[in-house]
């Protein structure tokens, strides 16, 4: 999981930046529906744990004049249904 990306960022740029870490098997850069601009986030999947470790070393790296945060994405926890049960 990456946050802090410039709004002008696209998927190819993210793949290029993180490509030195290893084989990227998936890359998702969410965009705003109205403008098509990057939301400042990306989800990147690598082929193995060693490559993930290399990517995590880029935490607080400069990317496009901004400092990015790189962290492991955690699964969403179960949330209460709000029904009171």
């Amino acid at each position: 999981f990456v946050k802090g990306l410039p709004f002008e960022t696209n998927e190819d740029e993210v793949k290029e930046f993180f490509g030195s870490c290893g084989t990227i098997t998936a890359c998702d850069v969410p965009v705003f529906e109205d403008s098509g601009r990057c939301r400042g986030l990306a989800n990147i999947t690598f082929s193995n744990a060693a490559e993930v470790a290399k990517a995590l070393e880029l935490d607080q790296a400069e990317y496009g004049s901004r400092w990015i945060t790189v962290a492991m994405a955690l699964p969403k926890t179960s949330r209460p249904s709000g029904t009171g049960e």
Side-chain angles (χ1 to χ4, degrees):
F1 174 75
V2 182
K3 68 179 181 177
L5 295 169
F7 295 116
E8 298 78 24
T9 304
N10 63 47
E11 185 177 313
D12 289 337
E13 293 169 340
V14 171
K15 286 180 177 179
E16 182 178 337
F17 184 81
F18 286 95
S20 64
C21 298
T23 303
I24 297 173
T25 59
C27 181
D28 178 43
V29 179
V31 297
F32 290 106
E33 289 181 24
D34 60 343
S35 66
R37 292 176 65 184
C38 173
R39 291 181 176 258
L41 308 170
N43 292 298
I44 306 167
T45 305
F46 291 92
S47 62
N48 63 56
E51 295 170 348
V52 171
K54 286 182 186 178
L56 290 171
E57 291 175 8
L58 294 174
D59 184 42
Q60 300 305 308
E62 186 174 0
Y63 181 99
S65 74
R66 296 183 74 178
W67 300 103
I68 59 172
T69 300
V70 182
M72 290 285 291
L74 302 174
K76 292 182 180 178
T77 58
S78 299
R79 296 182 183 162
S81 65
T83 62
E85 296 179 23

